């Protein structure tokens, strides 16, 4: 494990007598909790409760959610916004089109181009899954205050953005530490 900080503008953490960087125990605990979270999220797919539970995979949910929040868009825009390649989006969208959750339409300004849009059926299904997942989040955080929910959401968002930035830098060949 290197003692080089992720941010070169920050001083290096002092090392313990055995050479372990200060704070390593906390970082070990954090990575362990992230690993547990990933496993539990995959086990449940954070699918919610009731009949909608586990009924939509992560890729489908993220694609439908993005189309709902940002409106119709082309494959390249969808892929770029999600940080994945166009071929992956094309592969993931195909079953959503086949089941009628997403529709292909002509671009409003360039009729030759195709955009993907959430269908009414897709929106209804997305709302069903969102409701189920909302109920799950309410149950999981039942004993939490509103401030604790807000803090956790803000920190998890910050963590995800930092991870996304780091992975983006790594895929572009930039420094990751």
């Amino acid at each position: 494990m290197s003692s080089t900080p992720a941010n070169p503008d920050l001083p290096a953490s002092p090392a313990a007598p055995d050479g372990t960087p200060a704070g390593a125990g906390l970082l070990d605990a954090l990575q362990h909790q992230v690993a547990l979270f990933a496993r539990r999220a995959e086990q449940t797919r954070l699918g919610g409760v009731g009949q909608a539970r586990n009924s939509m995979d992560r890729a489908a949910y993220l694609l439908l959610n993005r189309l709902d929040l940002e409106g119709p868009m082309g494959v390249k825009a969808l892929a770029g916004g999600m940080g994945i390649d166009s071929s992956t989006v094309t592969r993931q969208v195909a079953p959503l089109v086949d089941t009628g959750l997403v529709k292909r339409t002509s671009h409003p300004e360039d009729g030759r181009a195709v955009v993907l849009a959430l269908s009414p059926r897709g929106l209804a299904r997305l709302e069903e899954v969102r409701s189920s997942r909302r109920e799950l989040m309410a149950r999981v955080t039942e004993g939490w205050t509103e401030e604790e929910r807000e803090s956790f959401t803000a920190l998890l968002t910050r963590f995800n953005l930092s991870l996304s930035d780091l992975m983006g830098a790594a895929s572009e060949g930039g420094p990751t530490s």
Side-chain angles (χ1 to χ4, degrees):
M1 200 185 248
S2 170
S3 64
T4 304
N7 184 341
D9 298 329
L10 297 176
S13 300
D18 67 356
T20 304
L26 181 58
L27 294 175
D28 287 346
L30 176 60
Q31 68 81 21
H32 179 75
Q33 289 303 317
V34 168
L36 285 175
F37 173 77
R39 182 177 70 199
R40 289 193 176 111
E42 191 57 35
Q43 285 172 339
T44 65
R45 293 199 185 266
L46 290 180
V49 294
Q51 290 187 353
R53 184 176 189 278
N54 291 332
S55 57
M56 184 178 288
D57 70 33
R58 180 180 59 240
Y61 176 78
L62 292 172
L63 287 166
L64 294 178
N65 197 53
R66 186 163 198 95
L67 288 172
D68 181 45
L69 296 175
E70 296 185 25
M73 65 182 73
V75 170
K76 283 186 181 181
L78 191 54
M82 296 181 72
I84 56 180
D85 61 65
S86 295
S87 63
T88 301
V89 168
T90 299
R91 190 178 70 253
Q92 292 174 347
V93 164
L96 300 176
V97 171
D98 292 345
T99 58
L101 300 178
V102 170
K103 59 185 177 179
R104 289 186 173 100
T105 62
S106 296
H107 191 284
E109 296 168 12
D110 180 0
R112 298 169 297 169
V114 174
V115 294
L116 301 168
L118 193 60
S119 70
R121 181 173 180 217
L123 179 58
R125 185 70 186 104
L126 180 60
E127 286 301 329
E128 183 180 82
V129 171
R130 280 179 178 158
S131 176
S132 175
R133 290 178 177 194
R134 197 176 302 119
E135 185 177 342
L136 175 64
M137 292 298 105
R139 286 183 183 184
V140 168
T141 63
E142 188 174 334
W144 298 23
T145 65
E146 196 64 21
E147 293 78 23
E148 288 171 326
R149 286 177 174 165
E150 288 172 3
S151 292
F152 181 72
T153 301
L155 289 170
L156 188 56
T157 299
R158 184 176 173 190
F159 179 85
N160 280 325
L161 288 172
S162 294
L163 189 57
S164 179
D165 288 348
L166 182 67
M167 295 297 101
S171 69
E172 294 168 5
T176 57
S177 59

